[in-house]
Amino acid sequence: AVKVLRALEGATDETRQRRIEVIGSDLLVKSLGDLGIVQRIEVPHQLGACNSGTSYLIVDERELESGAWAGTLTSQSTTRFLSLSEHIRKAKARGVVVVVVKAPQQDHFSNELRQMAMVLFEGTEPNWEWEDDVYFPVLKVLTSVLRGEEG
């Protein structure tokens, strides 16, 4: 325990900050900025191994409907979806909390993506009953953004 405390004391501020990877909106990235180092994964070729120290991976399904991510959940984009699911698998193996924000409509791979989530947001609420009992600032900000309270 002493070695761990000494390592933390000597760590740089960047090492101590939580890292958050986001496939989501500019507003979400901006809103999470005060909570740590936020990396927006803007295009599929940025997928790979999670950055060291990443705490959260947030995937908003609505972001997978347009731009460089368009069609990721459809059967025509199986390769892109497999890259995303491999990224999520590696993140979970490293202890990263995987959060998925459910889109209103469902595509070919939607259920598979949702099953990979540790936390699934439907509408503006996470899928658990104890969010008031545990303090998760990242999820609190995400809830505020989804409710339209941020920005």
Side-chain angles (χ1 to χ4, degrees), residues 18-53:
R18 92 174 39 89
R19 292 181 178 274
I20 307 163
E21 291 186 1
V22 177
I23 299 174
S25 68
D26 289 334
L27 176 60
L28 178 58
V29 170
K30 179 182 171 208
S31 298
L32 291 168
D34 289 339
L35 300 179
I37 300 168
V38 182
Q39 177 192 358
R40 184 172 187 201
I41 304 173
E42 296 184 49
V43 292
H45 73 266
Q46 288 179 316
L47 294 171
C50 254
N51 286 326
S52 176

Side-chain angles (χ1 to χ4, degrees), residues 37-72:
I37 300 168
V38 182
Q39 177 192 358
R40 184 172 187 201
I41 304 173
E42 296 184 49
V43 292
H45 73 266
Q46 288 179 316
L47 294 171
C50 254
N51 286 326
S52 176
T54 297
S55 303
Y56 291 86
L57 170 60
I58 301 172
V59 180
D60 188 338
E61 286 183 356
R62 296 169 299 182
E63 197 73 14
L64 303 178
E65 297 171 354
S66 62
W69 290 101
T72 298

Side-chain angles (χ1 to χ4, degrees), residues 15-147:
T15 305
R16 290 186 206 160
Q17 280 194 319
R18 92 174 39 89
R19 292 181 178 274
I20 307 163
E21 291 186 1
V22 177
I23 299 174
S25 68
D26 289 334
L27 176 60
L28 178 58
V29 170
K30 179 182 171 208
S31 298
L32 291 168
D34 289 339
L35 300 179
I37 300 168
V38 182
Q39 177 192 358
R40 184 172 187 201
I41 304 173
E42 296 184 49
V43 292
H45 73 266
Q46 288 179 316
L47 294 171
C50 254
N51 286 326
S52 176
T54 297
S55 303
Y56 291 86
L57 170 60
I58 301 172
V59 180
D60 188 338
E61 286 183 356
R62 296 169 299 182
E63 197 73 14
L64 303 178
E65 297 171 354
S66 62
W69 290 101
T72 298
L73 296 178
T74 66
S75 57
Q76 291 81 16
S77 297
T78 301
T79 302
R80 190 175 315 140
F81 178 74
L82 289 175
S83 294
L84 176 60
S85 62
E86 180 66 10
H87 185 81
I88 291 170
R89 187 190 65 73
K90 288 177 182 176
K92 286 176 79 172
R94 293 182 77 153
V96 174
V97 176
V98 177
V99 180
V100 173
V101 179
K102 186 176 172 181
Q105 86 289 342
Q106 186 163 331
D107 282 314
H108 185 76
F109 290 115
S110 297
N111 282 337
E112 209 170 323
L113 176 64
R114 293 167 189 172
Q115 288 173 357
M116 287 187 259
M118 295 170 155
V119 178
L120 179 66
F121 273 77
E122 296 190 47
T124 61
E125 302 298 324
N127 64 333
W128 69 60
E129 312 257 330
W130 41 267
E131 65 268 10
D132 291 334
D133 298 329
V134 181
Y135 181 64
F136 286 110
V138 170
L139 301 183
K140 194 169 198 62
V141 168
L142 177 56
T143 300
S144 294
V145 169
L146 294 173
R147 289 180 180 164

